[in-house]
Amino acid sequence: MTGGMDSAGRHDRPFLMGFVGDAATEALIREGLGTFVGPPIDLRRGSVRTATAVLRRQPTPRILIVDIGDEKQPISALRELAHVVEPDLSVLLVGSLDSADFYREVTRGLGVLEYLPRPLTREKIAREFGPVLVGQSPERDTGGRCVTVTGARGGVGASTIATNLAWLFGVAMHRHTALLDADLYRGMTALLLDVEAGTGLCQALEAPERIDVLLVERAAVPVAERLHVLAGRLDFMADVACAPGATGALLGVLRHRYNVVVADVPFVPNRFGRDLLMEVHQRVLVLEPTLASVRETLRLLALPPGPMQKQRPVLVLNRTGRPGALNRRQVEDALKSHVDLSIPDLPRQVGTAETLGDAAVATRGPFRDAMLELARQVDGVGMLDGGAGMSVAPGRGAAGGLGRRLLSRGRR
């Protein structure tokens, strides 16, 4: 089983076939690969042994996707499969075993092109499997991962979600994380994390030729050991100065310094925000269950994807369950697309955390569960343990005390 397309150009061989063990995996593969091959994708329910039995009786496809999640002896089962298929078959595996030794054995020893362990996301499937379908090698990107979070309208909670997502990566999961605030006038993410916004970000955007690691580190305000914030608070009478090429230069430096870059990008027409939406790996769109929010989300979904974006944006329906609001099915029908995750309306928990400059995600409950799922979807790495690293007390990671100082002044 080795890579390579059918050089003979035979018409009796199907292009793609797959055997998966459950409906969730099937849905992720269909979504992840739909932009590469289009519908229909021939996916069947079954295991590697099902694939072996089927391919004994019919022509070998050019590309085969096999789920080995429940197979107790996957190596021997794959060897049996190799005996019944043509040798130029390209095999892509998904499974449950997350082991470097197993990965090397199936890729180097058996000639499997790629193996993805669970948990799976459509973004990870598109990134690793998609290039194979169009005759390319899977991408190997050594820099950090960049994600934008954009609200369909003001006040839908996008800054809250971006801030808590960055806190989750940087504080709870100990990954080098930068939170980039593209609203250069308000610096809301800095306020939510109880630190002061600096001036270094605006200076960097004005002179991209000066952007380097040293400048970025001076501009970044530490919230915790592995969480830094880049935010500004320009005077409202000042113009946003973002030189051509500045966004790309900034992201290039950030990706070499941080594992994850989370950018809070408002839905406003300026160069910095537009460039960020085009140059990151993944977009996250946040909407409320209202018709106005749905209308603006459709406009955002119509934006062309950036060169590194293999999938549509992740859709987050925030504040579900409010009296008088649309339900999830109504929102999905209006969008003609499914919502990737929903967050219930939690004004007391989230509002109190924002007032005190704490991270709402530090508290166990539905908000943290939703943020863990969002982190899994945008990062695509199977190291998100719902209980791991979450013992940090609210507020412990904050560098300042602005929220509490303002409240104490108000009580005097």
Side-chain angles (χ1 to χ4, degrees):
M1 294 183 287
T2 58
M5 294 297 181
D6 185 4
S7 59
R10 286 165 38 199
H11 298 293
D12 63 328
R13 297 182 66 178
F15 175 69
L16 174 66
M17 184 182 297
F19 295 85
V20 297
D22 56 82
T25 301
E26 178 180 347
L28 288 172
I29 292 176
R30 289 191 185 280
E31 282 199 59
L33 301 183
T35 57
F36 293 91
V37 296
I41 299 177
D42 186 3
L43 290 182
R44 311 178 188 189
R45 202 59 55 81
S47 64
V48 60
R49 299 190 185 276
T50 309
T52 302
V54 170
L55 295 178
R56 288 182 190 274
R57 305 187 304 269
Q58 66 183 66
T60 300
R62 300 179 184 180
I63 300 174
L64 178 67
I65 300 174
V66 181
D67 186 350
I68 57 170
D70 295 329
E71 178 57 49
K72 296 181 179 179
Q73 296 179 315
I75 299 300
S76 62
L78 288 169
R79 288 198 176 107
E80 291 178 17
L81 174 64
H83 291 318
V84 303
V85 298
E86 298 184 31
D88 63 346
L89 171 66
S90 298
V91 176
L92 303 171
L93 293 184
V94 297
S96 303
L97 184 60
D98 192 355
S99 163
D101 289 338
F102 180 75
Y103 179 86
R104 282 193 295 268
E105 187 164 2
V106 296
T107 55
R108 298 180 186 178
L110 295 179
V112 169
L113 279 185
E114 189 59 78
Y115 168 68
L116 294 182
R118 289 181 170 85
L120 300 171
T121 65
R122 57 185 172 85
E123 163 65 20
K124 184 161 66 170
I125 290 170
R127 185 172 68 246
E128 301 298 336
F129 286 0
V132 177
L133 272 59
V134 294
Q136 302 173 359
S137 299
E139 297 179 7
R140 293 293 177 260
D141 193 346
T142 58
R145 186 158 179 79
C146 300
V147 178
T148 56
V149 180
T150 301
R153 305 178 73 231
V156 300
S159 294
T160 298
I161 289 173
T163 301
N164 281 273
L165 181 63
W167 191 96
L168 183 63
F169 280 126
V171 177
M173 297 166 56
H174 310 292
R175 304 185 68 189
H176 296 285
T177 305
L179 176 58
L180 177 61
D181 196 329
D183 187 342
L184 301 176
Y185 291 100
R186 294 177 176 85
M188 183 58 65
T189 59
L191 178 65
L192 293 177
L193 287 174
D194 213 358
V195 296
E196 295 279 3
T199 60
L201 175 58
C202 298
Q203 295 171 359
L205 295 176
E206 292 173 354
E209 69 279 359
R210 295 179 52 220
I211 296 177
D212 56 18
V213 174
L214 183 61
L215 176 64
V216 168
E217 288 187 343
R218 285 201 301 262
V221 179
V223 176
E225 182 181 357
R226 298 198 173 191
L227 174 60
H228 297 165
V229 177
L230 285 92
R233 287 192 68 202
L234 283 175
D235 186 277
F236 282 121
M237 298 303 291
D239 292 327
V240 175
C242 179
T247 305
L250 177 63
L251 288 179
V253 172
L254 290 175
R255 293 187 62 216
H256 281 85
R257 170 64 178 81
Y258 298 97
N259 301 118
V260 183
V261 179
V262 178
D264 179 20
V265 181
F267 188 12
V268 293
N270 62 52
R271 178 192 293 272
F272 188 33
R274 286 196 299 265
D275 288 350
L276 282 171
L277 288 173
M278 292 303 296
E279 297 188 27
V280 297
H281 297 91
Q282 181 73 61
R283 299 174 187 168
V284 175
L285 304 183
V286 181
L287 68 152
E288 286 183 319
T290 64
L291 285 177
S293 194
V294 167
R295 182 188 66 174
E296 300 307 317
T297 302
L298 288 170
R299 296 180 65 191
L300 285 166
L301 286 171
L303 294 175
M308 294 192 294
Q309 295 162 21
K310 306 302 183 185
Q311 288 291 292
R312 70 161 174 80
V314 174
L315 294 178
V316 177
L317 182 59
N318 195 25
R319 298 171 182 161
T320 58
R322 288 193 307 177
L326 302 174
N327 60 42
R328 179 168 179 166
R329 182 171 181 177
Q330 290 172 320
V331 170
E332 291 178 333
D333 288 344
L335 292 174
K336 294 182 173 57
S337 178
H338 78 271
V339 170
D340 294 290
L341 65 113
S342 63
I343 302 175
D345 189 31
L346 301 167
R348 179 175 298 179
Q349 176 189 345
V350 176
T352 301
E354 291 181 353
T355 300
L356 297 176
D358 292 334
V361 75
T363 303
R364 293 183 179 275
F367 182 76
R368 188 186 73 174
D369 293 341
M371 295 304 299
L372 282 166
E373 173 60 20
L374 177 59
R376 187 183 72 84
Q377 293 203 26
V378 301
D379 187 61
V381 177
M383 48 53 178
L384 292 170
D385 181 355
M390 300 302 294
S391 59
V392 179
R396 182 178 296 179
L402 178 61
R404 292 180 177 80
R405 289 200 299 271
L406 289 175
L407 288 176
S408 65
R409 290 174 186 170
R411 288 193 290 266
R412 290 175 184 173

